[in-house]
């Protein structure tokens, strides 16, 4: 479903690269089924998601970059609209839109709380950027990349903070470019407790104070984490212990 959502886009100049970590779960058969639609694909052991994304961008030739994880999907027209926006706003480094939360059956179960943010607000913990909807300039990636492989969860947050040193990021409201799938094995559910500590690493690296909004939000998040995760699991019908 992820692959189909890309190859059915109405923008003609997509260089679609798939990086697989040597899967043995049938993923390779699916990739081969659609390889005529791909610029190239790689299936080999890697050091995890961040390493795979870096590998893919290292092979890419386009002027605009984006990545889509293997459980998320694009909605029709997403790529064309994002490319048009960036081409018509050359001062913008990254654009993002709204996103739906979906379950394993592709049913919409909510919306991501996307909103306009910037470097200053992100460093205070106001992120509001659904990664699935982000598109950014390759020239900026060449300046600030690659993703930091020491991050398991917040590699995208770290990228955005570094990117906004060089160009603004813009929220395109009212457009739902992608779908963010929630399920038991997804990182958003299974490893959420690793996200905020990694964000705090970025905050402190950039000179942030221990007495800050993001630090307070971290403690609040830890307090509310059991409730938040139960609520998320309830959204897609998962059983909780």
């Amino acid at each position: 479903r992820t692959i189909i959502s890309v190859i059915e886009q109405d923008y003609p100049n997509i260089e679609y690269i798939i990086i697989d970590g040597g899967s043995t779960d049938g993923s390779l058969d699916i990739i081969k089924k659609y390889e005529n639609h791909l610029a190239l694909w790689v299936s080999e052991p890697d050091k995890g998601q961040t390493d795979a994304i870096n590998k893919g961008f290292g092979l890419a030739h386009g002027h605009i970059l984006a990545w889509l994880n293997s459980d998320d999907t694009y909605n029709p027209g997403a790529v064309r609209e994002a490319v048009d926006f960036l081409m018509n706003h050359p001062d913008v480094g990254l654009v993002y839109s709204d996103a739906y939360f979906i379950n394993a059956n592709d049913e919409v179960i909510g919306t991501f709380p996307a909103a306009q943010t910037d470097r200053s607000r992100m460093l205070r913990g106001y992120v509001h950027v659904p990664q699935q909807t982000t598109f950014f300039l390759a020239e900026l990636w060449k300046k600030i990349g690659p993703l930091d492989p020491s991050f398991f969860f917040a590699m995208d947050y770290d990228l955005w903070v570094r990117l906004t040193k060089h160009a603004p990021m813009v929220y395109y409201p009212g457009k739902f470019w992608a779908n963010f799938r929630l399920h038991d094995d997804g990182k958003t559910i299974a490893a959420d407790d690793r996200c905020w500590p990694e964000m705090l690493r970025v905050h402190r690296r950039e000179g942030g104070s221990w007495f800050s909004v993001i630090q307070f939000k971290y403690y609040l998040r830890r307090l509310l984490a059991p409730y938040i995760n139960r609520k998320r699991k309830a959204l897609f019908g998962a059983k909780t212990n």
Side-chain angles (χ1 to χ4, degrees):
R1 287 178 290 200
T2 299
I3 293 173
I4 290 171
S5 78
V6 177
I7 65 178
E8 290 187 346
Q9 291 292 307
D10 60 1
Y11 182 76
N13 299 320
I14 295 177
E15 181 189 39
Y16 190 13
I17 298 169
I18 292 182
I19 307 296
D20 175 71
S23 298
T24 58
D25 60 356
S27 295
L28 193 55
D29 293 333
I30 296 172
I31 293 170
K32 289 179 178 178
K33 179 179 179 180
Y34 294 100
E35 64 183 344
N36 290 339
H37 298 277
L38 307 178
L40 61 93
W41 60 271
V42 176
S43 181
E44 61 187 16
D46 56 38
K47 298 176 183 178
Q49 180 187 14
T50 305
D51 182 44
I53 296 167
N54 284 335
K55 188 184 299 183
F57 285 160
L59 296 169
H61 300 91
H63 297 297
I64 295 170
L65 301 176
W67 83 83
L68 194 63
N69 297 322
S70 61
D71 47 4
D72 301 327
T73 56
Y74 283 136
N75 288 319
V79 175
R80 173 179 46 78
E81 291 177 356
V83 170
D84 286 348
F85 183 91
L86 287 172
M87 291 297 95
N88 290 319
H89 300 82
D91 58 317
V92 175
L94 179 150
V95 65
Y96 61 99
S97 75
D98 292 300
Y100 291 116
F101 287 127
I102 60 172
N103 63 17
N105 299 316
D106 291 330
E107 297 166 332
V108 174
I109 55 177
T111 56
F112 188 101
Q116 179 63 52
T117 190
D118 54 31
R119 176 180 168 80
S120 175
R121 281 180 280 187
M122 280 194 295
L123 286 171
R124 298 197 304 272
Y126 298 99
V127 184
H128 300 296
V129 182
Q131 172 274 315
Q132 298 80 0
T133 73
T134 59
F135 294 80
F136 54 95
L137 301 181
E139 65 184 74
L140 288 177
W141 170 262
K142 293 174 183 177
K143 289 182 181 179
I144 65 172
L147 296 174
D148 186 338
S150 70
F151 288 106
F152 174 77
F153 206 119
M155 79 289 282
D156 47 7
Y157 171 72
D158 175 51
L159 176 70
W160 301 327
V161 168
R162 288 189 279 136
L163 183 149
T164 49
K165 285 183 178 179
H166 302 276
M169 61 194 308
V170 172
Y171 168 48
Y172 195 158
K175 297 289 185 177
F176 287 83
W177 285 341
N179 303 303
F180 183 174
R181 195 181 307 277
L182 296 178
H183 57 87
D184 272 333
D185 295 328
K187 287 167 63 174
T188 303
I189 299 298
D192 182 66
D193 58 330
R194 297 178 65 173
C195 179
W196 282 87
E198 290 187 354
M199 290 173 64
L200 286 171
R201 278 176 52 196
V202 176
H203 169 72
R204 293 180 189 128
R205 184 196 67 206
E206 300 296 322
S209 168
W210 286 83
F211 302 99
S212 61
V213 173
I214 192 172
Q215 188 75 51
F216 171 77
K217 291 182 76 172
Y218 165 60
Y219 290 128
L220 182 62
R221 183 75 175 204
R222 288 184 62 183
L223 182 66
L224 296 178
Y227 166 76
I228 292 171
N229 285 334
R230 282 199 301 270
K231 186 176 180 180
R232 282 175 172 170
K233 289 182 177 182
L235 275 175
F236 55 87
K239 294 181 180 179
T240 57
N241 293 326

